[in-house]
Amino acid sequence: MGSYFIYSSAHIGLDAIKLHVEADISAGLPKFTIVGLPDTAISESRERIRSAIKNSGFSFPRTRVTVNLAPADIKKQGPVYDLPIALSILMASGVIANTTLLQETAFLGELSLQGDVRPVHGALLAASMCEYYGIKNIAVAHRNCQEASIVKNVKVLGVSNLQEIVSWIKSNETPLFYKRKKQSPIINKHAIDFADIKGQEHVKRALTVSAAGNHNVLMVGPPGSGKTMLARALPSILPDFTFKEALETTKIYSIAGLLSRESIVQQRPFRHPHHTSSSISLIGGGSWPAPGEVSLSHNGVLFLDEFAEFSRKTIENLRQPLEDKYVTISRAAGTITFPSNFMLIASMNPCPCGYLNDKQRTCECAPGQVQAYKRKVSGPILDRIDISLHVPRVDFEKLTSTQELDTSKIIRERVETARQVQRARYKNLPIETNDELSTKSLGTYCQLDDPSIELLKTAIDQYQLSARAYTRTLKVARTIADLDNAQNIKLQHLAEALGYRCG
């Protein structure tokens, strides 16, 4: 009876390509076959689709039915193709006609046995695919409408069940498209304000530098010194999302199925995995590669508390994402690359008992235990951390002080100003912050005067700093200069940056 196709979308990492779902009904014994590299979920959808068509009041063909998901060289996964497969079969059966409006619409959705359309992951990516390929409309479940409507040049049709869609196609009338809702105002979810944290002024300063330039931080101190509280307060001083950043992060959360009803991610992520997390949960993976914590932290913060308690293998897996700002996951199903431009904030105790060099409590660890504990975090990882801080116990006088401290709002304004300086400076480059500066660009944007060069040379000789430490120190110095609104890096800026590296 011929071959017919329906548009859908196939997702590969954060990319989506146009998919043709074709159905062919031919003479032969009753058999329902799906080809085109489907995964198990798609193969199992045959019984769902058969029941959905029958329970929607239509007849399922009693001959040979072949469905092809083209292009056939790309692996497909998930139940998202239930709806387009069912429609292609109904089209091949002659129940619906191949109208112009139908060929201007992509379909995405899982079907229940009764023919209801259920929401799926990746609606935002599918809508972006429609915009790229010039497909005017996308039909998804009602709960996916807000997410898909982020793409403004594609009309979104919310559908409830298969019967409703068939009625719309048969009428050949323009449907009532989803009206985009205004995004609700951002509610500040950051319960901890920097003004609530007593003492630790040097740590607050370092976190301000980190937020301004997107630099990685390691905090080392005894239990109860405020490391976790400081890390949790960091999002309160981070600048607002740009639309580009929000869209990138939302796509990742859409694929992972973590997108809330608010549709677009409005605040920078703050991910806090437990130290028992596996390498796969942190980096990503699975039989079909899925984003891990480093990608879910994209454009935000990844906080690793009790850093030394993570397995050595898990920590070492951070090398590529920290350096390259992306992570590549290879599995039998394929190779997927996810972005992972996050700010690493790590905290740990100085020794197993936590009280090494503490003023009030004596350390009970043997020297060998202390060395073994420190060796859990390797040199190559420490080399990729820009700012290392000692976070001491807070004195009683500071805890009870009534002195007014800078609020997160005030500090955030400084960070925003420094970020604006960086955006203006790098407007012709594909980077946003100082942390992304390439080695080639250091000579242009991180020039030093003679006293600064002499200080840097002395520090490198005394502390045996690596080439990576050298470049990262210059980037931190550049951020400190931006916070001071200085055009060039001065001696005091470099000295502060070296203090964070060598202290």
Side-chain angles (χ1 to χ4, degrees):
M1 296 179 63
S3 180
Y4 303 84
F5 71 86
I6 297 290
Y7 286 131
S8 190
S9 173
H11 306 152
I12 306 173
L14 290 191
D15 297 322
I17 65 169
K18 181 170 62 175
L19 194 73
H20 291 78
V21 182
E22 306 171 297
D24 181 77
I25 300 176
S26 57
L29 294 174
K31 188 175 183 181
F32 184 8
T33 306
I34 300 177
V35 297
L37 291 183
D39 70 348
T40 304
I42 299 175
S43 299
E44 290 179 349
S45 69
R46 291 176 295 182
E47 299 307 317
R48 286 198 305 271
I49 294 167
R50 190 193 306 270
S51 298
I53 290 176
K54 291 171 61 178
N55 292 329
S56 297
F58 310 110
S59 298
F60 192 86
R62 296 185 178 181
T63 55
R64 185 179 183 88
V65 178
T66 303
V67 173
N68 179 41
L69 308 177
D73 60 338
I74 295 175
K75 293 182 180 293
K76 293 88 180 177
Q77 63 152 346
V80 298
Y81 307 112
D82 288 8
L83 179 57
I85 289 174
L87 290 175
S88 67
I89 293 172
L90 292 176
M91 187 185 297
S93 302
V95 175
I96 57 178
N98 189 11
T99 62
T100 302
L101 190 58
L102 186 62
Q103 290 301 301
E104 293 176 346
T105 307
F107 293 85
L108 210 70
E110 177 185 345
L111 288 177
S112 71
L113 297 181
Q114 299 301 317
D116 296 327
V117 181
R118 292 173 172 168
V120 293
H121 301 166
L124 174 57
L125 273 74
S128 300
M129 178 278 298
C130 291
E131 182 180 42
Y132 180 81
Y133 287 101
I135 301 174
K136 297 180 180 179
N137 317 313
I138 184 171
V140 292
H142 286 288
R143 283 181 56 188
N144 284 136
C145 286
Q146 179 72 357
E147 175 187 343
S149 67
I150 296 173
V151 181
K152 297 180 180 180
N153 295 326
V154 177
K155 296 180 180 179
V156 180
L157 175 64
V159 292
S160 300
N161 52 63
L162 185 59
Q163 196 172 40
E164 176 189 345
I165 300 173
V166 172
S167 299
W168 158 60
I169 295 173
K170 283 185 174 181
S171 67
N172 201 24
E173 295 178 358
T174 303
L176 185 62
F177 289 105
Y178 176 80
K179 291 184 178 180
R180 293 179 176 85
K181 296 179 181 178
K182 290 185 178 180
Q183 202 69 40
S184 56
I186 297 176
I187 300 174
N188 191 348
K189 298 179 182 178
H190 308 304
I192 302 177
D193 193 284
F194 264 48
D196 299 331
I197 303 175
K198 304 294 184 179
Q200 311 296 15
E201 286 79 8
H202 71 294
V203 183
K204 294 180 187 179
R205 165 64 179 178
L207 291 178
T208 302
V209 174
S210 170
N214 204 48
H215 302 294
N216 304 318
V217 178
L218 172 63
M219 296 182 287
V220 183
S225 57
K227 302 185 296 294
T228 301
M229 189 176 184
L230 285 159
R232 290 189 178 278
L234 178 62
S236 66
I237 65 171
L238 292 177
D240 289 334
F241 260 150
T242 63
F243 181 75
K244 177 185 176 183
E245 291 173 332
L247 191 61
E248 287 178 348
T249 305
T250 302
K251 285 182 177 180
I252 297 172
Y253 276 67
S254 176
I255 292 174
L258 299 176
L259 205 56
S260 68
R261 295 295 294 272
E262 293 299 321
S263 174
I264 192 168
V265 177
Q266 299 185 67
Q267 292 186 322
R268 294 184 181 274
F270 181 86
R271 304 293 297 183
H272 184 191
H274 193 260
H275 64 262
T276 57
S277 299
S278 65
S279 298
I280 290 178
S281 67
L282 191 67
I283 302 300
S287 57
W288 183 272
E293 293 292 341
V294 296
S295 298
L296 295 172
S297 306
H298 182 59
N299 292 321
V301 177
L302 177 63
F303 175 43
L304 300 184
D305 201 5
E306 305 297 343
F307 194 42
E309 299 300 333
F310 283 81
S311 72
R312 177 72 176 255
K313 177 183 176 182
T314 300
I315 294 178
E316 291 304 309
N317 283 334
L318 291 172
R319 289 193 189 187
Q320 185 203 3
L322 283 175
E323 194 73 27
D324 300 332
K325 308 301 182 184
Y326 66 84
V327 60
T328 301
I329 307 167
S330 296
R331 296 291 185 270
T335 299
I336 303 294
T337 298
F338 292 111
S340 57
N341 187 7
F342 59 90
M343 186 191 311
L344 174 65
I345 306 297
S347 68
M348 59 183 286
N349 296 327
C351 66
C353 77
Y355 297 104
L356 182 68
N357 298 325
D358 188 66
K359 296 179 181 179
Q360 299 182 14
R361 295 190 59 171
T362 303
C363 175
E364 300 175 353
C365 303
Q369 290 178 302
V370 176
Q371 291 301 320
Y373 183 78
K374 291 182 177 180
R375 279 198 295 267
K376 289 184 177 181
V377 183
S378 68
I381 290 294
L382 291 175
D383 215 28
R384 288 166 167 81
I385 294 177
D386 308 297
I387 298 174
S388 297
L389 301 167
H390 175 56
V391 185
R393 183 190 298 271
V394 182
D395 296 332
F396 178 78
E397 290 75 13
K398 291 184 177 180
L399 284 175
T400 56
S401 172
T402 58
Q403 178 185 359
E404 289 190 7
L405 303 173
D406 286 347
T407 63
S408 290
K409 182 180 179 181
I410 294 174
I411 299 173
R412 185 177 183 175
E413 289 174 355
R414 299 172 190 157
V415 172
E416 290 270 15
T417 301
R419 288 277 185 118
Q420 289 172 6
V421 170
Q422 292 169 57
R423 280 194 289 269
R425 181 191 301 126
Y426 308 131
K427 61 182 179 180
N428 296 323
L429 297 175
I431 61 176
E432 296 287 336
T433 59
N434 290 326
D435 184 55
E436 301 174 50
L437 269 174
S438 65
T439 305
K440 184 178 180 181
S441 302
L442 290 177
T444 303
Y445 300 107
C446 300
Q447 296 181 358
L448 301 177
D449 55 19
D450 291 340
S452 299
I453 293 175
E454 188 63 30
L455 174 63
L456 186 57
K457 181 179 182 300
T458 302
I460 291 175
D461 291 341
Q462 182 173 347
Y463 294 100
Q464 293 84 46
L465 299 183
S466 67
R468 181 183 289 111
Y470 163 78
T471 59
R472 286 184 174 269
T473 299
L474 287 180
K475 293 175 185 179
V476 175
R478 179 67 268 176
T479 300
I480 297 170
D482 291 339
L483 284 168
D484 281 354
N485 198 24
Q487 186 173 359
N488 298 314
I489 297 174
K490 298 179 181 179
L491 184 63
Q492 64 267 26
H493 304 143
L494 181 62
E496 184 178 351
L498 285 170
Y500 294 141
R501 169 63 64 170
C502 306

